[in-house]
Amino acid sequence: MTTPSGTPVTAVPGLAAPAARARAGALTAYATGSLGMGVWVTVPGLLLLYFLTNTLGVSSAVAGVTLLLPRIVDTLVHPLLGSLSDRQARGSGHRRGMLRWGLLLAVAMVATFTVPAGWTGLPAALWVGCWFAAGNLLFAAFQVPYLTTPSDLRIGYHERTRVFMVRMLFLTLGLLGSGVAAPALVRDGGRTGYARMALLLAGAMVVCGLVAIAGVRRLTAQCGFGVPDRRPTTAFGDIRAAWRDRDFRALALSYLLTGTTTHLFLAALPFYTAYVLRDAGLTAVLMGGFLAPAVLAGPGWMLLSRRIGKQRGLLIAQGVFTAGSPALLIGRTLGTAVTLVVVVVLGCAFAGLQLLAFSMVPDAVAAAETRGSGLAGAYTGVWTATDAAGTAIGPYIYSAVLAVGGFVSTSEGHTVAQPDGALTALLWGFTVLPAVLMAGAVAVQLRCRLDRRAAR
């Protein structure tokens, strides 16, 4: 058996896949898509709650619902798109058709942050919520087939980690670039700044998406393409089959808690810098401190996983985040420099959380294939639904914490004095609550046995 490019492919029993290797050029082109993905992953999560409450005058309770409802719809759609992607792959031998629809995400990005002049409160929330929902659906159309690519390739256990490591490196660069640039572009808190920021970043998203589609084509030509199971199935049947996989279910539920934690962290960061550190300009600094180390930490986590396995490495990353986030409880006492060091440590842990969890999804698909079930798109759809749910739940939980604390919303970047209850709520919600959520992720992750099965 050979790949379409003529590379010999040898089937190996168990989880080991054919020994094809992704070439650097094609892998780099593929990973470029994560630069654009990083914009949508970062900017709404980092700025949208703050944009609603501190620029558009939306109450924290309404803002939380505005961010939550589109994500609920998004979560329901992802598994269906995964099954649809499998069907398209069976018919055409690739998943690129859905990827092209995802390029329209740039339109939704601009519209989400370009609210009509004079709109505040509920009308502004409705505008943002509708466009945010549209953006999430378009993002899913790109994300599901894009993240299924490593599962489609005829590559082995460690090569899947390599592919995801390069992809996560580019994603981290996207998170870092947009996470630093976006707050800097909207520092004045005005609507014009938000609209300009969205337009600039949307252009970069389109370019990255086009390069990624070409990269997907080249990778599948080099490494082969595993056509999904051709047996007649239904979308809900595919989803049930993925969810019945006990190890994959544990991995997904653990990542739900992990994603909830990290997206809560992103949503809360502007509040922490503005009201605890009393310098909104530190948002970009701490965001850089959180993401820049992840660029270097990714290869380190990959090497560690080769020595001890992905499962143990992921548990270590979760443990570091659990232990580190409460240290920010005394941010003003620590001082900016020490606070930045703590954030850097959390950023290193974040790199492991992303790389190792995502690289275990193709391992779950490979394990399922040994049992006669090849549903890479369905598995990825369920996984990205989990990711989307965490993206929604994190900011919503934090907005609920603010509402309970009595946080006072404002408009156009003006600041108001907050009651003591609000200040306490926003601080504990940023520090102690993430530790509790991540501890739950550790407890669930301990039930996953993918690495044990790979070793047999």
Side-chain angles (χ1 to χ4, degrees):
M1 177 180 173
T2 62
T3 67
S5 61
T7 303
V9 176
T10 304
V12 180
L15 285 183
R21 182 175 174 83
R23 297 174 188 169
L27 182 53
T28 299
Y30 164 73
T32 300
S34 291
L35 289 174
M37 288 178 64
V39 174
W40 186 256
V41 170
T42 302
V43 176
L46 177 64
L47 295 180
L48 207 48
L49 179 61
Y50 196 80
F51 176 56
L52 287 165
T53 59
N54 284 48
T55 298
L56 301 179
V58 180
S59 70
S60 55
V62 173
V65 174
T66 300
L67 300 182
L68 179 65
L69 291 180
R71 288 296 191 184
I72 292 176
V73 176
D74 190 32
T75 300
L76 297 175
V77 167
H78 272 256
L80 299 178
L81 290 178
S83 182
L84 176 61
S85 180
D86 278 339
R87 291 174 182 273
Q88 291 182 351
R90 292 185 192 109
S92 64
H94 63 79
R95 304 177 189 269
R96 295 190 297 274
M98 194 179 294
L99 280 168
R100 297 187 184 101
W101 280 103
L103 296 176
L104 294 174
L105 174 61
V107 177
M109 173 71 178
V110 174
T112 299
F113 287 97
T114 308
V115 180
W119 287 30
T120 59
L122 185 58
L126 289 172
W127 173 276
V128 171
C130 289
W131 278 108
F132 188 44
N136 287 332
L137 294 177
L138 291 167
F139 180 70
F142 188 91
Q143 183 188 35
V144 170
Y146 180 78
L147 292 183
T148 307
T149 298
S151 299
D152 290 331
L153 303 179
R154 302 293 83 191
I155 55 179
Y157 176 83
H158 290 303
E159 181 66 4
R160 289 193 287 268
T161 307
R162 174 175 170 261
V163 170
F164 267 102
M165 189 273 291
V166 177
R167 181 249 164 191
M168 292 305 304
L169 173 63
F170 276 68
L171 177 62
T172 303
L173 290 173
L175 297 174
L176 176 61
S178 57
V180 173
L185 290 169
V186 301
R187 187 169 183 177
D188 64 354
R191 295 171 184 246
T192 302
Y194 279 97
R196 182 173 59 249
M197 173 273 298
L199 183 62
L200 290 172
L201 295 181
M205 292 166 64
V206 172
V207 173
C208 292
L210 290 170
V211 174
I213 293 172
V216 170
R217 181 187 295 108
R218 292 170 61 188
L219 276 181
T220 53
Q222 292 172 10
C223 300
F225 182 84
V227 178
D229 193 336
R230 293 186 179 276
R231 289 177 297 177
T233 59
T234 65
F236 290 105
D238 291 347
I239 295 167
R240 283 196 301 269
W243 194 247
R244 282 198 300 265
D245 186 327
R246 182 175 61 182
D247 293 323
F248 175 70
R249 186 170 65 246
L251 178 66
L253 289 174
S254 177
Y255 190 73
L256 173 62
L257 290 167
T258 297
T260 297
T261 305
T262 55
H263 284 91
L264 184 154
F265 183 92
L266 290 175
L269 182 59
F271 294 89
Y272 181 75
T273 57
Y275 294 100
V276 176
L277 302 183
R278 296 177 182 174
D279 184 355
L282 288 175
T283 298
V285 175
L286 294 187
M287 193 66 184
F290 183 66
L291 293 173
V295 176
L296 301 176
W301 286 111
M302 185 182 72
L303 292 175
L304 180 65
S305 74
R306 286 179 176 270
R307 288 180 173 272
I308 66 174
K310 301 175 192 179
Q311 166 79 345
R312 291 179 180 175
L314 180 55
L315 289 170
I316 290 173
Q318 291 172 329
V320 171
F321 206 101
T322 301
S325 56
L328 296 172
L329 192 63
I330 52 174
R332 267 187 297 182
T333 303
L334 291 174
T336 301
V338 179
T339 299
L340 181 59
V341 170
V342 174
V343 170
V344 166
V345 172
L346 294 177
C348 292
F350 175 74
L353 296 173
Q354 297 294 304
L355 170 62
L356 299 176
F358 273 82
S359 66
M360 289 176 76
V361 177
D363 296 339
V365 173
E369 288 177 347
T370 66
R371 301 190 298 270
S373 175
L375 297 168
Y379 272 72
T380 304
V382 172
W383 178 261
T384 56
T386 303
D387 188 22
T391 303
I393 295 171
Y396 179 75
I397 290 177
Y398 193 70
S399 70
V401 169
L402 293 180
V404 170
F407 184 84
V408 180
S409 298
T410 184
S411 62
E412 293 295 336
H414 299 300
T415 58
V416 297
Q418 298 292 341
D420 291 341
L423 296 175
T424 300
L426 69 87
L427 175 59
W428 282 70
F430 180 67
T431 55
V432 176
L433 184 55
V436 173
L437 291 170
M438 193 64 78
V442 172
V444 177
Q445 186 63 38
L446 287 169
R447 301 171 62 184
C448 181
R449 301 181 302 169
L450 274 172
D451 272 3
R452 297 180 195 175
R453 291 165 61 182
R456 289 203 297 267

